[in-house]
Each structure stands twice: as C-alpha cells, then as structure tokens.
Amino acid sequence: MNRFTVKQVAVLGAGVMGAQIAAHLVNCQVPVILFDLPDTKSADKNGIVTRAVANLKKLKPSPLGVAADADLIQPANYEEHLELLRGCDLIIEAIAERMDWKRDLYAKIAPFVAEGALLASNTSGLSIGALSEALPEALRPRFCGIHFFNPPRYMPLVELIATPTTQPHVLDQLEAFVTTGLCKSVVRAKDTPNFVANRIGIAGMLSTMKEAERFGLTFDVVDDLTGKRLGRASSGTFRTADVVGLDTMAHVIKTLQDTLSPETDPFYGSFGTPEVLKTLLEMGNLGQKTKAGFFKKVGRDIMRFELESKDYVPAGQKADEVYGRMLKKPAVERLKLLRNAEGPQGQFLWAILRNGFHYAAVHLSTIADTARDVDQAMRWGFGMQQGPFELWQEAGWLEVAQMIQEDIAAGKTLCDAPLPDWVFKGPVADRGGVHQPEGSWNPTSGQFQAKRDLPVYQRQLFREQLLGENAPVFETAGKTIHEDADIRLWTLDDEVLIASIKSKMHAIGPGVTEGLSRAVDLAEASYQGLVVWSGDEPFSVGADLQAVMPAFIAAGVSAIEDVEAELQRVMLKLRYAQVPTVAAIRGMALGGGCELAVHCAKRVAHMESYIGLVEVGVGLVPGAGGLTYIARRAAEIAKASTGNDLLPFLTEGFKAAAMATVGTSAIESRKIGYLLDSDIIVPHKDELLYVAVAQAKAMFNTGYRPPLKRLFAVGGRSAKATILGSLVNMRDGGYISQHDFHIASLIANVLTGGDVEAGTLVSEEYLMKLERQAFCSLIVNPKTQARILGMLSTGKPLRN
C-alpha cells in the first residue's frame, strides 16, 4: 500500500468548527483551503470566509498557535473555486448539522474530489451511513465520519466512524494522519446517534441536571462537586455547558430525541430537554458566546441563573467539605461512603456515578467495540481523569455491580433495564473488570480485545493506558543507570541516555543539578546522546526555591551564589557536551526550565509547550544563564543580519525577560526566541520521546560536534541607557513599581554587558557572573523576599 501523504486539506464550512479545524491544520503546518458559500452582500465573494478567519485572531482561548498565522488559511467559495478541491488529499466537510444541506453539498463537490482523496464529515451525531448514500459509488469507499471536539486545538479526541462501504485502510490512513499530523487521540465509534463521547457525555449531563433538580442543588454547588473534586474538567457540568454553547447542547439532545426511542434506548425517558435549558434558550442566553447562560459575569462578580425568578443571583456557593474529603478517599471506600451518605450532596454524587455506570454498561455493545473506547472517549472528549468503566473497576467490579443492581430493583435508577449478563458472569466478573493486560472487553465477541497496533503507534513509546492494562510505564521501563530522589538516568536501547527529573513539578534543586551533571558525564563516556525528558507535564517550572531557602537562612547569600554558580556551570556543560543534548519539552518550561531547554544542543517541543523566563514574578532575575542566552543570541543574529545594530535584537529579548513573556504555544515560543527554527515541534505529546531520541541519534550519526566557545559583542553603556530611558517613562507613568524598575534595570545591565563600551566582546562566563550578582542582590531584598513568600504561600505573584 502506498503511503498516504496529505499535502493539502480542504475544509468545507467556515462556521465555528470549520474555521477552528482550519486553524489547527495551520498550527500543524498543513496547507488548508477554507470554503463557504459566496458572499452575496459584498464585492468579495470570499467575504464569509474572510470574516471567519479574521475572527479567529480574536477568540480566547486562541485556536491559533500564533494569531498572524490565520493569514495562511486560503479562502475560497463554492461558486468560483471548486477546481481547487482537485489538489486536496483530504476534504473535511464541517457545515451545519443538517442532513439535507450536507447531501446537497456532496452532490456539488463530488465531481471535483481527486482520485485517492479522502472525504470525511465532521458531524457530532448524524448517521454517516445515511450521508454516504448521497455520494457516487466510486467515492463511498473513501468516505467516513470524523468528529473533532471543540475547541479542536485543545481537545484531544477525534472520533472516526466507518460506513458499511468504507474501506478499512481509509480509516487506518486517516487515524495515522490525525494522530501524528494533528496531535489527536482517536476512538473509532459505531455509526449510532452521537457516537461514543457525546452519547455517554450528554446522557451524563442530562442525568446530572435531573439529579441536581431532584436533590435541590444549585448550579455552582453542582459544578464544585462535579469538577476537579470528581476527577473531571475544572469547569464542572453547567459551566462546561456554557462553554460548549447551550444551543449546541440542545442540538445534541435533540439528536438523541429524534433518532432514539424507548425501544432502542431504555433511558429515553430521561432525554427530555430540562426546563431550565428551555428557558435559557428562549431568552437567547446561549452560554459563553452570548456572555450569559447558566452563569454570567457582571463586572468582577459571577452570577448564576435562577429558574424560579428567571434572573441572575450571586454565585459562589461551595460544596460541603465533608464530601470533598470523601472524594479524596480510595475508590472502594469513596463509592460506599457516597452511597450511604445521608446528605443530598452525597446522594447526588452517588446517583450520577451510578447512572453513568448503568448507562455505559447497557449501551456498550451498541455504541463501541470495547470498553476502552468508552473510557478513552470520556478522558479525551470530556476531560475526565478516569472513564466510567475504569472507576467502576477500581472500586471493585462485582461489589459496585451489586449496588447498581440493588438500586435498579429499588426503582432509584433512571430506568429499570438490568445490567448485561456479562457484568455478573464470565470473563469480566472472573477477572474483576473490563480492562486487562491482554485487552479490553468486547461484548460482541465476548473477548478481551487488544489495542489497534497501527505503525503510527510505534512512535508512542509509552501510550496512554487505562487502569488494569498494566503496560510498561516510563518510571520503571528500560535499564536504570542511576536513580535517586531527584532524577532517574536510564536508557531504552543502550544508545541514548535519558534524564528524567523526579522532583515535584520537575523543579530544579541542587539534587537535580547534580544529576544533570552526572548525566552529561555518563552520556559523553558511553552513549550517543542525552535526552532530558521527564515523562509528563511540566518540563520544569524552574528553580526549587523551597529547596535553596534553608541554605540561604543557614549560610546567607554566599550559599545561594554557590548554588547559582553550579547551576550555571551545568548549563554550559549541557551546551558544550561532546554528545548531542536534547530537551524534550512538554507543558511549562518556565524560569530555570526555560534555561535548561535553551542550553541543550536541540529542543524537541510538544505543540502545547509554554516557555518563558518568569523570574521577575518572584522579584528575581534569571540566574541560570537565561539572560546570557538572550545576549548571545542577539549578538549572533545581529552579526548575521545586513545591519550591525545590536539594540533592536537585544530589546526584544529584554522585553521577554522583563515582562515575563511566556509563549502560549511552541510556535509562539519560537517567535519569542526560546525555540530556534532548527528545533522540532511535535504535534502529539506521546511521540515526544521517540522524536527526541531519534534526533539525538541522527545528530550523533552525522558527526555532531558542540559549538566552539566564542566571544560576542554586547550593547554596553549606550544600549543600557536607551533601555533605561524607556523604563523611567514606565515607572514615572505608574505602569511599573519602583521595585519592578529596579529588577528591570538589573536585567538591562546583564544583557548589555554592564559598564563597558558598545561592541565589547565578552564570554558567557562574564555575563553569567553579572547574572549571579544581580540574582544575589535581589534575594536579600525585602521586597523580593515578600514576593517569594507570597508565591510559595498563595501560588500567585505579589506586586509591590
């Protein structure tokens, strides 16, 4: 079979989803054409698309890695540009959820779909088989459903849905592309109403609303109970509905109402649109998009809707803390406590969990191949830490099943449908759950079914796993070379050494510094390269202030200077190592984490990496070579440019450090300068280690040599005076405090080389000494100490 290469994608429909899917394709460096109807009210027939693309730059959270990249989306309309479809390898239809509109569009585009190109419909619940009937027979084998979750940039889940005529390799090709190319996690769903995630998720939201009304709980209390406390998205239930859009939610509910019946779904009686949702829709309060839904913001205050008065009242009520403590208990104890709780909040929690288990078990055979598909869909599509079957299994399979069955018999459940026989008898009951090392339960085949093992998954060295699968985990995989409380040095293949930081939030304390130094020594002696990868987020939040404060209290500022000097030495050791050093970045790389990354020979960053020097937030300056890096890079760029003026390049770096600018994506971090054009951005988080190791090997095998140590020019007194002039204006205008001015002045002093002439050549060690001096002068400053204590105690920056 020839490799499926996607050179260009067409997205049909410039609505909310279509435009954001196009934006995400651009994020992933995929050329995209965005189509919509011709604009009859403007001279520009692409006006509908043009406005949609312009709106992408305004949305929060941003659908784009860099807002300016919206201009890379090519606008088109169906009247003038259908010929452009012939050059597209994948066409994603994402127009409104109307079967007749979609079919009409298929008839229009079918003659222009290239031979071998794939056509997919982004629908949240319409029958893919019914849609395929409008296509020519030759195109049907290359057609399927592809359901992105909103917002497409941030939500991992994509559901793929085959029709009876879809060729199997088409789904394999598409799964490989959206996994590696678009950083998505794929679940294959059966062609049933709302597929897997929305079928389970919307039924769960309706159940939550129904039980909340029954137990008399307000929306804010419900959200407090059903958010992070329950291991779900922090937005809870009603805030999530506002974010999704109440009209969108109503549409998905209507799909259930229109396509199911009491005969096909015994829970059908609970699918009625809640009265409060009807009321909000009638009022035009559709959630976040209209700035009012279940909640609305008035000034700085959050208000919640009250059905009785049809008005908004102050929100902010919290759950009873006794249930917060219950939810921290182990699953076995937690569920029993909730079931036996006397208060309405506990009874509510047990009811929604029980209803979720009940619904998932009854419908597993009709909506998905395996229990894995359900649990992964709820993790990736609804932000749950565990899917319903995982939690059920962890809490004791047969014990929980018996509790559910007793509630069914007592008439406490949403319907009286019994749990399927496989719950109580056979392999699942005997093994204590649906997820086992050999696979997850497939009720149709009556077996535990292994994961799909497509070639694309060989790039995911440690695939996300479910409870009970017992696959190898990075913490113990491979061969350990050295391990202590702060770091593990290990290898998968005896060719590349991996350094995994173990401290909380992967903060860099003296133990981590020592471990990284040891890692370089070992890599140079016995390996082809060194990869710094800690398995999960964040890459590193920077220096471990709590770890160094005792030394400061005991020995004073000299102890801090020694710690900083050693950290700087290790950063240079990474930079000038005789084997390639690769930073594999995922999540936050802040402060010292950023400095660690920029001193490696190469960086491989996950798309959602947030990189920056943020030390000013705690009243400090970067002290592990971050400012030295900025000054050196500015000198290198200025030398390579047509002009010789260093100041413009220096000023950009100064602003980033002085304002604690953090890239909101790996793409933006590259624009700021913390990633280079030669660095690699990896769309899928689970492929990060594979790519980093491959990069280290490739660099070694092509004769890697570290850079030669060179002196470089600094801006000197004149550049420093220019920067300070702008700072004075900001201070005197009240934009920054006196202490902010002092910190920024110290940053400027380091970046420009101190009291020297413009163009003076300096070494990295010279600037690092200035960094240390600035850092140590601040750590004894009472205002900086107040900022540090404030951050350690509240987690929020203090402005003084």
Side-chain angles (χ1 to χ4, degrees):
M1 186 191 304
N2 292 332
R3 186 165 68 93
F4 178 59
T5 302
V6 178
K7 297 177 183 177
Q8 185 165 254
V9 175
V11 176
L12 312 181
V16 172
M17 282 301 290
Q20 292 199 51
I21 290 170
H24 189 60
L25 285 159
V26 167
N27 291 338
C28 298
Q29 306 297 299
V30 180
V32 59
I33 307 170
L34 181 58
F35 281 81
D36 211 300
L37 296 166
D39 189 348
T40 58
K41 299 178 181 178
S42 168
D44 177 13
K45 286 194 175 182
N46 291 332
I48 294 174
V49 174
T50 302
R51 290 191 293 274
V53 169
N55 189 56
L56 289 171
K57 301 177 183 180
K58 305 173 187 175
L59 295 179
K60 298 295 179 185
S62 176
L64 292 151
V66 175
D69 281 355
D71 298 334
L72 297 175
I73 299 171
Q74 182 179 346
N77 66 79
Y78 304 127
E79 184 178 300
E80 300 176 306
H81 303 122
L82 288 179
E83 283 288 341
L84 294 174
L85 293 175
R86 299 189 192 278
C88 296
D89 307 291
L90 171 63
I91 300 169
I92 300 173
E93 170 270 305
I95 68 170
E97 295 280 288
R98 285 272 301 266
M99 181 75 73
D100 53 341
W101 289 0
K102 289 178 183 282
R103 287 181 160 190
D104 288 346
L105 181 59
Y106 295 170
K108 183 181 294 185
I109 66 166
F112 301 93
V113 178
E115 186 177 347
L118 306 188
L119 173 64
S121 175
N122 181 70
T123 172
S124 59
L126 295 179
S127 169
I128 304 301
L131 286 171
S132 72
E133 294 169 1
L135 293 169
E137 279 194 34
L139 188 49
R140 290 180 190 178
R142 292 179 278 129
F143 175 76
C144 66
I146 182 170
H147 180 207
F148 287 84
F149 272 64
N150 189 25
R153 172 183 166 184
Y154 301 97
M155 295 303 295
L157 180 62
V158 163
E159 293 175 315
L160 296 182
I161 310 98
T163 74
T165 56
T166 305
Q167 291 181 348
H169 76 268
V170 165
L171 256 63
D172 291 349
Q173 290 173 335
L174 200 51
E175 183 165 347
F177 170 66
V178 300
T179 298
T180 288
L182 302 184
C183 60
K184 295 303 168 192
S185 298
V186 172
V187 165
R188 294 196 186 182
K190 293 185 178 181
D191 191 9
T192 54
N194 291 346
F195 312 127
V196 177
N198 273 344
R199 181 71 176 272
I200 298 290
I202 294 301
M205 292 181 80
L206 286 170
S207 162
T208 299
M209 292 179 183
K210 194 178 186 72
E211 300 291 359
E213 183 179 358
R214 182 157 75 98
F215 288 105
L217 304 183
T218 60
F219 305 145
D220 41 7
V221 168
V222 169
D223 278 1
D224 190 37
L225 288 168
T226 60
K228 286 186 176 181
R229 292 176 186 266
L230 202 60
R232 299 182 179 182
S234 58
S235 50
T237 300
F238 293 100
R239 176 62 185 148
T240 295
D242 277 351
V243 171
V244 170
L246 303 192
D247 53 341
T248 301
M249 184 178 177
H251 169 79
V252 179
I253 293 171
K254 191 171 188 305
T255 301
L256 293 177
Q257 295 168 345
D258 292 347
T259 55
L260 295 171
S261 66
E263 290 71 36
T264 57
D265 192 323
F267 294 81
Y268 187 80
S270 63
F271 291 161
T273 306
E275 194 62 34
V276 64
L277 181 57
K278 286 182 186 176
T279 302
L280 287 166
L281 291 170
E282 289 168 1
M283 294 171 66
N285 293 359
L286 308 182
Q288 184 170 279
K289 68 182 77 174
T290 60
K291 303 189 186 305
F294 289 107
F295 298 96
K296 79 172 181 178
K297 193 172 183 181
V298 179
R300 294 187 176 182
D301 299 325
I302 302 298
M303 314 289 283
R304 62 174 168 81
F305 186 70
E306 189 177 66
L307 180 60
E308 186 177 348
S309 65
K310 295 186 180 180
D311 201 357
Y312 287 85
V313 298
Q317 290 185 6
K318 297 292 183 182
D320 189 325
E321 196 49 46
V322 68
Y323 300 108
R325 292 193 292 272
M326 282 186 189
L327 291 173
K328 293 178 181 178
K329 300 284 186 182
V332 174
E333 186 178 351
R334 184 192 324 152
L335 264 61
K336 288 178 181 177
L337 286 170
L338 292 175
R339 187 177 188 236
N340 296 322
E342 295 183 0
Q345 295 180 23
Q347 294 173 27
F348 160 80
L349 283 168
W350 163 249
I352 63 171
L353 290 171
R354 175 204 62 213
N355 294 345
F357 300 151
H358 189 193
Y359 193 86
V362 168
H363 287 295
L364 174 59
S365 63
T366 58
I367 66 173
D369 287 335
T370 70
R372 179 191 309 108
D373 296 323
V374 170
D375 281 347
Q376 288 183 330
M378 299 314 294
R379 278 189 179 203
W380 297 332
F382 279 79
M384 293 185 177
Q385 290 178 6
Q386 289 182 305
F389 290 119
E390 282 186 283
L391 176 56
W392 182 348
Q393 182 166 330
E394 185 183 10
W397 184 263
L398 286 177
E399 293 85 352
V400 173
Q402 189 60 43
M403 290 192 290
I404 298 168
Q405 197 63 43
E406 289 173 3
D407 280 9
I408 294 171
K412 295 180 179 180
T413 52
L414 295 176
C415 74
D416 60 3
L419 291 172
D421 289 343
W422 56 260
V423 170
F424 292 102
K425 296 183 295 185
V428 172
D430 295 342
R431 300 284 296 278
V434 292
H435 302 307
Q436 302 298 332
E438 65 269 32
S440 292
W441 182 248
N442 181 327
T444 303
S445 67
Q447 296 178 327
F448 294 105
Q449 181 176 309
K451 291 181 179 179
R452 283 188 306 283
D453 194 24
L454 298 176
V456 66
Y457 293 119
Q458 294 173 15
R459 299 168 59 88
Q460 297 184 5
L461 301 179
F462 298 99
R463 291 175 69 177
E464 187 174 324
Q465 62 173 300
L466 302 175
L467 177 83
E469 291 183 338
N470 295 333
V473 293
F474 75 88
E475 291 92 343
T476 56
K479 180 169 69 176
T480 299
I481 308 303
H482 166 81
E483 186 168 15
D484 56 36
D486 296 295
I487 201 164
R488 180 182 181 227
L489 307 180
W490 57 290
T491 180
L492 284 167
D493 55 10
D494 290 323
E495 293 180 350
V496 172
L497 187 67
I498 302 166
S500 295
I501 301 171
K502 295 169 56 180
S503 57
K504 184 178 180 181
M505 301 293 281
H506 305 142
I508 303 171
V512 172
T513 304
E514 182 182 345
L516 290 171
S517 181
R518 183 195 294 260
V520 175
D521 291 338
L522 286 169
E524 288 182 327
S526 306
Y527 297 92
Q528 296 180 11
L530 170 65
V531 169
V532 182
W533 177 82
S534 299
D536 52 11
E537 296 186 33
F539 176 72
S540 173
V541 295
D544 188 346
L545 293 174
Q546 285 182 314
V548 300
M549 289 308 286
F552 171 62
I553 294 169
V557 74
S558 61
I560 298 296
E561 186 165 9
D562 290 344
V563 169
E564 285 298 297
E566 178 60 16
L567 185 53
Q568 290 175 343
R569 185 189 69 80
V570 172
M571 294 300 175
L572 291 179
K573 192 172 181 178
L574 284 162
R575 172 167 164 74
Y576 293 108
Q578 294 302 306
V579 292
T581 56
V582 180
I585 307 164
R586 175 184 165 197
M588 294 181 292
L590 304 179
C594 174
E595 291 168 308
L596 170 58
V598 299
H599 280 91
C600 287
K602 197 174 192 72
R603 285 137 298 280
V604 174
H606 176 233
M607 176 77 70
E608 297 303 328
S609 294
Y610 312 105
I611 308 174
L613 297 171
V614 297
E615 286 84 351
V616 297
V618 288
L620 293 169
V621 299
L627 299 181
T628 299
Y629 166 80
I630 291 173
R632 176 177 58 78
R633 284 291 299 154
E636 291 169 350
I637 296 169
K639 188 174 181 180
S641 69
T642 53
N644 295 315
D645 188 1
L646 176 60
L647 186 60
F649 304 106
L650 205 56
T651 301
E652 289 303 310
F654 168 79
K655 288 179 181 176
M659 298 177 68
T661 303
V662 175
T664 57
S665 67
I667 303 170
E668 188 171 57
S669 296
R670 177 179 278 162
K671 288 181 73 70
I672 295 169
Y674 297 134
L675 295 178
L676 306 181
D677 289 342
S678 57
D679 292 331
I680 308 296
I681 296 177
V682 178
H684 202 293
K685 62 181 175 60
D686 292 340
E687 297 184 3
L688 193 60
L689 180 59
Y690 173 90
V691 176
V693 169
Q695 285 293 312
K697 289 180 179 180
M699 293 167 73
F700 178 86
N701 290 327
T702 51
Y704 174 79
R705 296 289 302 172
L708 294 174
K709 286 197 173 188
R710 300 177 187 273
L711 301 179
F712 52 90
V714 290
R717 299 184 197 94
S718 58
K720 177 181 174 182
T722 301
I723 294 173
L724 289 179
S726 63
L727 290 175
V728 168
N729 291 335
M730 294 181 69
R731 181 197 60 193
D732 294 348
Y735 297 104
I736 59 174
S737 70
Q738 178 60 38
H739 194 49
D740 291 327
F741 175 82
H742 177 57
I743 297 167
S745 300
L746 292 173
I747 292 174
N749 185 65
V750 176
L751 288 180
T752 58
D755 190 19
V756 297
E757 293 290 336
T760 298
L761 297 178
V762 302
S763 67
E764 288 165 297
E765 288 84 355
Y766 169 82
L767 287 185
M768 283 186 170
K769 183 178 180 181
L770 294 181
E771 278 190 36
R772 287 199 307 276
Q773 292 170 348
F775 188 94
C776 292
S777 73
L778 285 168
I779 207 160
V780 298
N781 188 302
K783 289 194 173 182
T784 284
Q785 291 176 356
R787 289 191 182 188
I788 293 173
L789 291 173
M791 179 63 75
L792 291 176
S793 60
T794 68
K796 298 178 181 179
L798 170 69
R799 287 291 169 223
N800 56 2

